Amino acid sequence: MQRILLIISFMFLTVWPGIAQHQRVIRIFKQTDTCIALQIMHQTLPFSVSEAGFLYLMDDFKCIEAEMITLNPYQNKIYLPNGAHSNISVVDFEADEPLLLKPYDGESGESFTWLSFPRLRTSNPTVNEVLGGDNIEPNTYQRDDSKLKNKPLGSNGVIENIYNGTEWPSLEQDLTHINATLGYKLTLKYGSDPNQNIKLFLHGSVIDPATTIPQLYKDKENWVGYWLYQTQNIFDALGSTADHLTSIKHQDWTCLYTEWPPFGPGSTPPGTGPKWYCDSKNRNIRYGDMVILSGDENIYNFQWNINGMPPEVREESAPEHYSYEEQPDYTPVMVLLDSSDNPQEIGVFENDSCIGANTVATGDSAVVIRSYMTGNSTDSLTFEMYYGSKSIQRKQVPDYYVRTDGQYFFEKRKISAGEKAAFFVVSFRKPENLKPEETGIEALQIWPNPAANNLNIGFTLSKPGFVTIEIINMEGKTVARPVNSHMQPGKHTLSLTLQDAGQKLIKGLYLIKVTCNGKPALKKVVVE
């Protein structure tokens, strides 16, 4: 009976003469996610109106189990504010899917959002088809300042489309078309406060969740869209792909991977070695988000993982003593902490202006900060630590040691505000893995990589010393130590079979650690 009632009601609603095109359809869900109901915005129908402008079914409208209706769940899906989708195929009119953009920022007069377009009318629509007309609400943004940017996969350069006051043009060699699997940065410039939520209405079918990206490129920024409707912790969504990445950038949070304890073995508690470090925000990714993925090896046939786990929900902390203005772009900075130093917050400064900060929790061995650098190459970054005690409240750190992404050694220098890197690792005290001329180890090379049966390790010693070579797994355990002896200066090459106690090493990621006179150098190797 309930099924008949729903079908009759649905047929009545879809043929009602007063229903115009582009009406908004929403689905009501219970905790079990099995209750389906339709809400259609029309004043003549027996619905009540919410403050948000949506119309809700009367309480006496009964629900039925979703399994009673056989429908394709990824055709004509409709996005809901609570993160779910409707699997009702809408007849006679096309539903709009509102994607909420970042709010208007009064300081800059902008709304800037890292986003993707998981629902498109065609496979290759123009930018104007997706953003033009009344697809953005309110659509009173300004010409010449409103932009959409994209970095094509495998490229170092960014392409963009600039709104001309009437439309988003399709100019040759610029950003002309939208790809549902890729990520974009949208900046909307308003002349005055729009005084309402800014929405982008999507149309068409939701992309199949099994869709793959053929290749993510090593040593590149890969701007990737998220097309699954399930909100997830980023590491649940990435699955095993995270093992091959070095940084993950989201507009609201960031995570970096470090390959060694901050100050060498024994200086930090067990478990604080090679692992991911993130800022203090919840690391969740939502439908329509964009992330920038970077790694040191190519990743083929990338696919989002549906883990089924709930999103991360934990108490977030924000700095109270440092304020800064967020921008469309940032550079992550990881600050390695001395176990004997316990600041409450750390701020990054450029020309005496704070450009990023984060809190420090008890036991943290590293803090990740999103730094909004201006790009002015004449300025350099400095740091400050806030303690809150009466004796020491703030301590400036003008000098520090720096390692950039792709380097395996620190050097004592300052970061330029115009310097380009995927991320920086900073130490406030002298680290053990300094640049080669201070360690005596130069030109450390590992080949082949990935390795299957044999592994070659090559390096140069600038001075004599006691050398140890270790193979370390991702749990921090030394599984082999093929060299532990004194060596003379010069070039050295060692050929190994991948054996651990007489058994071949299992597949996975390992660190090769070469130490001379207590100073380590490291490289990663993949065993296949």
Side-chain angles (χ1 to χ4, degrees), residues 137-149:
E137 180 183 296
N139 63 354
T140 55
Y141 45 86
Q142 305 295 304
R143 61 176 301 172
D144 298 334
D145 293 311
S146 297
K147 298 179 182 179
L148 183 72
K149 294 183 178 182

Side-chain angles (χ1 to χ4, degrees), residues 258-436:
T258 183
E259 298 174 352
W260 49 74
F263 306 112
S267 63
T268 55
T272 57
K275 70 172 189 178
W276 284 96
Y277 291 87
C278 305
D279 61 18
S280 57
K281 301 290 187 178
N282 283 314
R283 297 150 290 194
N284 293 326
I285 188 166
R286 301 172 298 272
Y287 176 86
D289 280 355
M290 181 266 274
V291 287
I292 300 176
L293 306 178
S294 300
D296 54 9
E297 57 185 286
N298 292 323
I299 299 171
Y300 299 98
N301 298 319
F302 170 79
Q303 182 179 10
W304 288 112
N305 176 56
I306 302 178
N307 186 278
M309 299 294 291
E312 181 179 38
V313 180
R314 59 186 175 85
E315 185 177 355
E316 297 182 343
S317 59
E320 299 179 359
H321 303 280
Y322 297 107
S323 61
Y324 55 91
E325 182 180 341
E326 293 188 0
Q327 302 291 335
D329 303 289
Y330 66 85
T331 301
V333 177
M334 175 188 288
V335 178
L336 304 181
L337 299 176
D338 188 338
S339 58
S340 62
D341 207 355
N342 297 289
Q344 296 179 12
E345 299 176 7
I346 299 178
V348 185
F349 289 81
E350 178 187 330
N351 196 24
D352 297 327
S353 296
C354 184
I355 59 171
N358 204 353
T359 58
V360 182
T362 303
D364 279 350
S365 58
V367 172
V368 178
I369 302 173
R370 286 171 289 147
S371 61
Y372 298 92
M373 301 159 61
T374 64
N376 188 347
S377 60
T378 61
D379 296 331
S380 59
L381 304 191
T382 58
F383 296 83
E384 184 178 276
M385 295 188 286
Y386 176 84
Y387 293 87
S389 64
K390 292 183 179 180
S391 58
I392 303 177
Q393 280 200 332
R394 299 175 187 268
K395 183 169 74 174
Q396 293 185 345
V397 186
D399 298 319
Y400 47 86
Y401 297 85
V402 180
R403 179 180 73 85
T404 60
D405 176 38
Q407 292 183 336
Y408 289 88
F409 298 97
F410 285 85
E411 55 183 325
K412 188 175 181 179
R413 66 177 184 86
K414 291 185 178 180
I415 300 172
S416 168
E419 197 168 342
K420 301 297 183 182
F423 63 85
F424 297 97
V425 181
V426 171
S427 174
F428 292 163
R429 77 173 228 195
K430 185 177 180 179
E432 294 190 11
N433 44 320
L434 292 173
K435 58 184 179 180

Side-chain angles (χ1 to χ4, degrees), residues 4 13 20-21 65 143 213 224 228 258 389 394 420 491 527:
I4 295 174
L13 296 177
Q21 289 188 343
E65 295 298 309
R143 61 176 301 172
I213 296 177
V224 178
L228 304 185
T258 183
S389 64
R394 299 175 187 268
K420 301 297 183 182
K491 293 183 178 180
V527 174

Side-chain angles (χ1 to χ4, degrees), residues 450-470:
N453 299 305
N454 298 298
L455 179 66
N456 299 303
I457 303 174
F459 57 93
T460 300
L461 293 182
S462 59
K463 56 184 178 182
F466 193 86
V467 176
T468 299
I469 298 179
E470 298 171 276

Side-chain angles (χ1 to χ4, degrees), residues 77-124:
K77 277 187 169 261
I78 301 159
Y79 181 77
L80 301 177
N82 67 357
H85 290 254
S86 168
N87 61 0
I88 296 295
S89 181
V90 181
V91 182
D92 290 340
F93 64 91
E94 181 185 79
D96 297 338
E97 177 174 349
L99 197 64
L100 193 64
L101 304 182
K102 290 295 183 180
Y104 173 82
D105 175 38
E107 292 288 334
S108 63
E110 297 175 341
S111 164
F112 45 85
T113 307
W114 293 18
L115 79 165
S116 59
F117 304 91
R119 183 178 180 184
L120 299 173
R121 280 198 180 98
T122 62
S123 61
N124 194 33

